[in-house]
Amino acid sequence: MKSLRIDNVSGVVTGRLGEPVLTVGSVRCVDGKIAAFDDDTDADVIVDANGATLCPGLIDSHVHVTFGDWTPRQQTVGWIESYMHGGTTLMMSASEIHVPGRPTDRAGLKGLAIAAQRSWENVRPGGVKVLGGSVIISPALTEEDFAELGAENVRLAKVGFGAFESQSEAAPLVRAAQKAGFVVMNHTGGASVPGSAAVSIDDVLALECDIIGHANGGTTSLPDEDLERMFDAPGALQLVQAGNLRSSLRVIDLAKDRDDLDRILIATDTPTGTGVMPLGMIKTIVEFSSLADLSAADTIALATSNPGRVLHREEGVIDLGRPADMVLLQPPAGGVATDPLSAIERGDVPGICGVIIDGQVQGLRSRNTPAPARLATVH
């Protein structure tokens, strides 16, 4: 058994909405799972958190991976490992739409999804878990294709880039994918890449996807009057850093009024034309908490347990038996706040002093966040 113990923790954010910060001084992990709290049993690796607050690793449910740690849109290598330094420990492909020469025929669409799914099973840049292989729903596909892809462990699909006259025409294929166990996400708002189409509120309501992708626009948002109508669709509402911040804040206000915050997901929708954004997840948490009057702990839940639940994953919650994917937060050095959650609530990005994935230390002081007030050390 491989074991890890994190000592001198000042508190634990569970990742669940509405739960208080736990008064926990240490977390013990065994074989990549959280095994105990406040247990001083010896371990193979001991991390001195030096008063850091521990929270779940962040889950980005909208990234545009291709193959390996490279993005052709921005010609950048190493971007996924860099996102780990921003606290992201798990990410989900929003379709491999940016693969150069991407195929659009039936065999090619399926082949691309299977190849990507297989590839990401075998590589973890910076330790980050990548859920790859998201088939692009197209008129070329049939109900039988989703059963075939499901048998090959492809479980993700995206609507918004297929050659439909109206994207709502994809609804029967969305049902077929969901029947086969897929998590289906739709594009929302204006067209984002050449050859794609806008997705209106009527399309969103007809599609009934599991995730309303970039509900705040990617990057062009829906009219204000349509934002409330999105809540009539059954899926989670994903708000992204690469979208419209004004629309995001309106959606959050609506979710609070309707007691629907459990439907809100934070994601980045990067790398795209907006660029590579290693701090995209934590920056969005800071913006939403400070501008929408949400507690830091609840805002973190929008980026951890909420997407974890929608993706049917065990990650995203700090609890016994859960995967040991964790981030250690400190207030930024030289800042006003004396703790990282207060820093988030006042609009400051906290300092990351440790990232742990499956019980293994992947990084200490982040090369991207502000310097943490205190550093963690490993023994």
Side-chain angles (χ1 to χ4, degrees), residues 206-231:
L207 290 169
E208 295 189 345
C209 290
D210 303 283
I211 301 175
I212 301 171
H214 46 67
N216 59 322
T219 57
T220 307
S221 61
L222 294 174
D224 289 350
E225 59 269 21
D226 290 344
L227 297 180
E228 186 166 10
R229 293 182 63 197
M230 283 194 299
F231 285 86

Side-chain angles (χ1 to χ4, degrees), residues 62-66 71 79 94-95 97-98 158 161 269-272:
H62 199 126
V63 294
H64 285 288
V65 295
T66 53
T71 167
W79 70 273
S95 80
I97 190 72
H98 295 153
K158 179 72 178 291
F161 302 109
D269 188 12
T270 63
T272 54

Side-chain angles (χ1 to χ4, degrees), residues 184-347:
V184 186
M185 178 164 60
N186 62 261
H187 179 93
T188 309
S192 61
V193 296
S196 65
V199 177
S200 70
I201 186 61
D202 291 329
D203 293 325
V204 170
L205 295 174
L207 290 169
E208 295 189 345
C209 290
D210 303 283
I211 301 175
I212 301 171
H214 46 67
N216 59 322
T219 57
T220 307
S221 61
L222 294 174
D224 289 350
E225 59 269 21
D226 290 344
L227 297 180
E228 186 166 10
R229 293 182 63 197
M230 283 194 299
F231 285 86
D232 294 332
L237 285 76
Q238 184 191 75
L239 304 176
V240 302
Q241 175 61 216
N244 184 311
L245 177 58
R246 176 178 173 276
S247 293
S248 288
L249 298 178
R250 284 176 172 264
V251 170
I252 291 174
D253 283 343
L254 288 166
K256 289 195 294 184
D257 291 343
R258 300 167 64 103
D259 196 24
D260 264 348
L261 280 174
D262 60 334
R263 294 180 62 187
I264 304 298
L265 314 181
I266 286 176
T268 65
D269 188 12
T270 63
T272 54
T274 306
V276 172
M277 299 188 69
L279 297 184
M281 290 294 289
I282 193 70
K283 184 174 185 293
T284 309
I285 288 169
V286 168
E287 289 171 348
F288 289 2
S289 179
S290 60
L291 298 176
D293 194 28
L294 287 174
S295 73
D298 277 351
T299 315
I300 288 169
L302 310 184
T304 54
S305 68
N306 279 11
R309 184 186 67 254
V310 172
L311 298 178
H312 311 297
R313 302 285 301 193
E314 289 293 305
E315 291 89 350
V317 174
I318 302 298
D319 204 352
L320 299 181
R322 297 276 190 157
D325 293 4
M326 300 172 284
V327 177
L328 298 174
L329 300 177
Q330 290 275 6
V336 174
T338 57
D339 68 87
L341 301 184
S342 296
I344 289 171
E345 289 167 1
R346 73 179 309 275

Side-chain angles (χ1 to χ4, degrees), residues 9 36 51 68 80 89 125-126 136 140 163 202 217 251 301 323 337:
V9 173
I80 295 175
T89 56
I136 299 167
D202 291 329
V251 170

